[in-house]
């Protein structure tokens, strides 16, 4: 235990640190005491949120151990924590961290045992990207909800709060205390390749209301919500994973459009905000991405918007943050800009050493370092990590995937399916009039939480509703031969349901739908990602937007097709004309009913 004198000395150091970027609090005693005992290397470790391979903290599969050695210089998660004293670890399905809920809880507990087994050990803040919809790192039996744009179509902020509360309870049960959600970007660009349906929509006030309630839901459950990607990634045609987006909004447009959801998140008490690797010249004309921009992070987010919570970078291996500087400079510049957590650097040893050297050389003062570490420790205390860092693997099954949680997901999904076209009207289909259905189309790579390809899930759901439905996967880029086989198969069906995925003007999916429509068989299109597909498919008699291909949204679409439920969703984004994008084909709020 530290002496009273050491705690008081720590308090003086904390006061100096806060002068650099924060506000002193009466309850800083425990975080300040922890901070006072840390070496500079331990403080630097607290800033990093690292990836690690494997389902176990101490006994990963051989391939995962080899990947850890190659990328991190350690064999296991436990060794990672011991070597770098990292403040956080992020879970990915591709890193084999998320096999099933009990395993996740055991991995979390193994990481915490490793952290607390070090001298002066501090619990690790474990995080993941569980946005729901098309981005989920943890699949079933965890409860999977409709994604953000689907919730935008539903239009009820209470649904966003329910999602956050239930998903948060399940994450916490698995030892995950921080979620990189909700997406606070306002998607106003139909060509956006990376946000799209991950956004609640194009109306900044509607997005703000949903963001605020999802934040409240997660944090009521004891999980830190993270609003992303500041200062707003919604009007880009470049993916910051692979390029460097530039947003040409004026300062006035940014204030009206992009800032509103982040202001709402801050007002709701959001625990963390993630930066975007993008350039907004109206906010900072230096050419630096927002993640490395002091005018954006400190000047706007900290000072203008008054945010004093944790700021985390987007992943530092993304191209958008690596265009001007090397991987040794990026973390240092991010800290100088005002961020606190450095997420998933491509070379942890290089990044950790660079930050430690910057502190030793005086480029980063220890007071600046302390300000960020204190924010991180405050968050850990708020989340209960300092008092009780462990999950309970034996209790996971009583929380994760409870029937009541699944029923709530289905209830929310029932609000979201949006009917854009219904000539005749064709929908709803009756099993008596159309007993044999062929379900075909795109089967994009399934996000965690799907039980099978979308065509199969949709066919099974329709069969359960009284049809005889068969599935035929034609993919996102069907060949001429595949299209011919689909047209032939349609001849034996009474109606055809086609799943489309990001149709373009030259897409063979478009040819497939046109050929099927020409057969004279009734065709129902279900867009399983972007609703903008409808603009390129003018001949279809019925068109539904599902906004994702997870089971819960496909089941909701099936109920609408069968008339077991009416379509209740309204477009949360306008759909422009394909031949003249400046003109609107279907306006914000459009949605048919029956």
């Amino acid at each position: 235990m530290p002496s009273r004198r050491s705690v008081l000395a720590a308090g003086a150091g904390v006061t100096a640190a806060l002068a650099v970027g924060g506000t002193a609090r009466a309850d800083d005693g425990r975080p300040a005491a922890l901070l006072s005992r840390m070496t500079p290397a331990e403080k630097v470790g607290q800033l990093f949120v690292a990836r690690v391979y494997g389902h176990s903290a101490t006994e990963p599969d051989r391939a995962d151990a080899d990947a850890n050695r190659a990328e991190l210089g350690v064999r296991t998660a436990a060794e990672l924590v011991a070597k770098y004293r990292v403040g956080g670890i992020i879970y990915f399905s591709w890193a084999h961290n998320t096999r099933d809920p009990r395993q996740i809880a055991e991995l979390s507990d193994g990481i915490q045992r490793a952290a607390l087994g070090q001298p002066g050990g501090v619990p690790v803040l474990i995080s993941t990207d569980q946005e729901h919809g098309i981005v989920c790192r943890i699949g079933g039996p965890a409860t999977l909800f409709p994604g953000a744009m689907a919730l935008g179509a539903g239009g009820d902020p209470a649904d966003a709060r329910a999602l956050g509360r239930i998903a948060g309870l399940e994450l916490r049960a698995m030892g995950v205390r921080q979620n990189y959600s909700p997406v606070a970007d306002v998607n106003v660009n139909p060509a956006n390749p990376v946000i799209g349906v991950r956004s609640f929509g194009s109306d900044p006030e509607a997005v703000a209301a949903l963001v605020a309630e999802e934040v409240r839901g997660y944090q009521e459950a004891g999980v830190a919500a993270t609003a992303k990607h500041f200062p707003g990634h919604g009007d880009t045609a470049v993916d910051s994973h692979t390029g460097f987006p530039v947003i040409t909004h004026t300062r006035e447009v940014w204030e009206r459009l992009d800032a509103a959801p982040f202001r709402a998140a801050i007002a709701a008490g959001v625990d963390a905000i993630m930066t975007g690797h993008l350039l907004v010249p109206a906010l900072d004309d230096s050419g630096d991405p927002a993640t490395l921009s002091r005018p954006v992070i400190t000047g706007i987010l900290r000072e203008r918007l008054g945010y004093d919570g944790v700021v985390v970078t987007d992943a530092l291996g993304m191209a958008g943050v690596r265009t001007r500087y090397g991987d040794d400079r990026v973390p240092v510049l991010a800290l100088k800009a005002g961020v606190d957590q450095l997420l998933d650097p491509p070379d942890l040893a290089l990044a950790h050493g660079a930050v430690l050297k910057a502190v030793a050389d005086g480029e980063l003062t220890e007071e600046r370092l302390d300000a960020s570490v204190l924010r991180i420790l405050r968050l850990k205390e708020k989340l209960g990590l300092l008092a009780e860092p462990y999950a309970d693997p034996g209790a996971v099954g009583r929380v994760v995937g409870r029937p009541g949680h699944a029923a709530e997901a289905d209830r929310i999904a029932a609000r979201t399916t949006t009917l854009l076209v219904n000539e005749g009207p064709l929908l709803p289909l009756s099993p008596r009039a159309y007993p044999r259905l062929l379900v075909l189309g795109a089967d994009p790579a399934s996000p965690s939480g799907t039980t099978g390809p979308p065509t199969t899930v949709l066919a099974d759901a329709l069969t359960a509703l009284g049809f005889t439905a068969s599935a035929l996967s034609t993919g996102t880029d069907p060949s001429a031969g595949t299209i011919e086989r689909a047209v032939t198969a349609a001849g034996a069906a009474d109606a055809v349901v086609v799943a489309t995925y990001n149709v373009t003007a030259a897409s063979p999916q478009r040819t497939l739908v046109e050929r099927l429509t020409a057969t004279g068989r009734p065709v129902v299109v279900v867009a399983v990602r972007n609703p903008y597909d409808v603009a390129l498919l003018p001949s279809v008699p019925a068109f539904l937007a599902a906004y994702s291909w997870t089971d819960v949204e496909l089941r909701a679409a099936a109920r609408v097709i069968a008339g077991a439920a009416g379509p209740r969703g309204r477009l949360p984004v306008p759909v422009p004309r394909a031949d003249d994008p400046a003109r609107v084909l279907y306006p914000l709020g459009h949605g048919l009913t029956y």
Side-chain angles (χ1 to χ4, degrees):
M1 292 289 291
S3 68
R4 176 175 173 80
R5 177 174 295 178
S6 68
V7 171
L8 290 173
V14 168
T15 300
L18 289 170
V20 179
T23 303
R25 299 177 185 174
D27 59 352
D28 275 340
R30 191 168 187 181
L34 285 172
L35 182 65
S36 72
R37 296 197 295 266
M38 290 182 180
T39 66
E42 290 168 346
K43 292 176 183 179
V44 169
Q46 283 295 304
L47 306 177
F48 285 96
V49 181
R51 69 188 181 279
V52 68
Y53 292 87
H55 68 283
S56 165
T58 56
E59 298 296 332
D61 294 342
R62 180 174 179 177
D64 291 326
D66 289 344
N68 285 331
R69 285 193 189 96
E71 296 183 19
L72 299 166
V74 298
R75 190 179 72 89
T76 68
E79 291 177 10
L80 173 73
V81 171
K83 182 173 182 178
Y84 292 105
R85 308 295 287 270
V86 292
I89 286 178
I90 180 172
Y91 286 168
F92 292 107
S93 52
W94 53 259
H96 312 138
N97 304 138
T98 58
R99 288 182 178 178
D100 62 74
R102 185 182 180 98
Q103 167 268 317
I104 295 169
E106 291 172 346
L107 172 61
S108 299
D109 282 359
I111 289 169
Q112 301 299 3
R113 282 193 294 272
L116 294 172
Q118 305 303 312
V122 177
V124 173
L125 180 53
I126 297 171
S127 59
T128 196
D129 290 291
Q130 192 78 347
E131 293 177 12
H132 296 270
I134 70 169
V135 177
C136 285
R137 310 303 187 195
I138 301 171
T143 305
L144 278 299
F145 285 86
M149 192 169 283
L151 264 68
D156 189 345
D159 290 344
R161 191 164 189 161
L163 180 158
R165 180 179 57 80
I166 291 172
L169 289 171
E170 295 195 359
L171 287 172
R172 188 179 175 96
M174 294 180 277
V176 179
R177 302 287 185 98
Q178 182 173 12
N179 192 18
Y180 297 130
S181 192
V183 171
D185 306 313
V186 181
N187 198 81
V188 294
N189 190 339
N192 196 320
V194 64
I195 302 301
V197 295
R198 297 168 62 198
S199 163
F200 289 109
S202 64
D203 179 341
E205 296 307 318
V207 172
L210 291 161
V211 165
E213 289 307 299
E214 191 167 310
V215 165
R216 292 186 176 102
Y218 275 115
Q219 295 185 183
E220 286 169 354
V223 168
T226 308
K228 62 187 185 185
H229 308 81
F230 189 83
H233 210 318
D235 192 11
T236 62
V238 174
D239 183 346
S240 54
H241 292 85
T242 57
F244 186 26
V246 178
I247 296 178
T248 58
H249 292 178
T250 65
R251 183 65 173 258
E252 293 72 26
V253 169
W254 178 82
E255 290 278 3
R256 173 177 53 81
L257 185 72
D258 303 288
F262 292 101
R263 289 184 188 277
I266 293 168
V270 69
D271 283 329
I273 290 177
M274 179 181 285
T275 67
H277 303 325
L278 46 90
L279 174 65
V280 187
L283 305 184
D284 178 5
D285 62 3
S286 69
D288 285 340
T291 297
L292 309 183
S293 168
R294 186 170 178 82
V296 171
I297 304 304
T298 296
I300 296 176
L301 181 57
R302 294 287 192 205
E303 296 174 356
R304 184 178 181 121
L305 300 186
Y307 182 65
D308 191 36
V310 169
V311 176
V312 57
T313 70
D314 207 343
L316 294 182
M318 294 166 60
V321 78
R322 303 171 78 188
T323 56
R324 303 188 78 188
Y325 306 101
D327 292 334
D328 58 333
R329 293 300 298 159
V330 165
V332 175
L333 294 174
L335 291 167
K336 292 177 74 172
V339 306
D340 303 306
Q341 288 183 308
L342 303 164
L343 176 61
D344 194 18
D347 187 331
L348 178 59
L350 179 68
H352 186 279
V355 174
L356 192 57
K357 182 177 185 299
V359 174
D361 292 347
E363 183 180 6
L364 285 169
T365 66
E366 193 157 356
E367 289 78 16
R368 170 66 192 89
L369 180 65
D370 286 355
S372 283
V373 176
L374 185 61
R375 287 192 187 97
I376 294 165
L377 294 174
R378 282 174 176 166
L379 179 55
K380 291 182 178 185
E381 182 173 54
K382 177 185 175 183
L383 297 173
L385 270 173
L386 301 185
E388 182 46 70
Y390 295 107
D392 182 356
V396 168
R398 297 194 294 271
V399 178
V400 179
R402 292 175 56 184
H405 293 176
E408 186 71 356
D410 280 329
R411 183 195 67 77
I412 291 172
R415 299 179 183 270
T416 66
T417 308
T418 308
L419 179 62
L420 301 182
V421 179
N422 193 20
E423 296 178 0
L426 174 59
L427 294 179
L429 298 182
S430 162
R432 182 174 299 176
Y434 302 98
R436 297 169 301 171
L437 300 182
L438 174 64
V439 181
L440 53 79
D443 277 329
S446 296
S448 298
T450 57
T451 57
T455 52
T456 300
V457 174
L458 195 51
D460 289 347
L462 289 165
T463 296
L465 290 165
F467 299 91
T468 300
S470 58
L472 174 63
S473 177
T474 54
T476 57
D477 189 23
S479 66
T482 297
I483 292 172
E484 290 301 328
R485 286 191 293 274
V487 170
T488 300
D494 299 302
V496 181
V497 178
V498 187
T500 63
Y501 177 93
N502 290 5
V503 176
T504 63
S507 172
Q509 292 182 71
R510 189 180 187 189
T511 304
L512 171 66
V513 173
E514 290 171 348
R515 290 286 308 278
L516 290 168
T517 304
T519 66
R521 292 290 189 271
V523 174
V524 179
V525 168
V526 180
V528 298
R529 187 162 178 172
N530 289 330
Y532 310 115
D533 288 3
V534 68
L536 290 159
L537 303 172
S539 64
V540 297
F543 186 100
L544 291 165
Y547 306 102
S548 181
W549 59 100
T550 48
D551 291 4
V552 66
E553 287 160 294
L554 293 174
R555 289 196 303 265
R559 291 194 296 270
V560 170
I561 291 170
R568 300 168 64 186
R570 297 289 183 272
L571 274 177
V573 292
V575 174
R577 291 173 58 110
D579 59 348
D580 185 1
R583 298 174 62 190
V584 173
L585 178 64
Y586 295 107
L588 183 73
H590 174 74
L592 305 176
T593 59
Y594 50 72

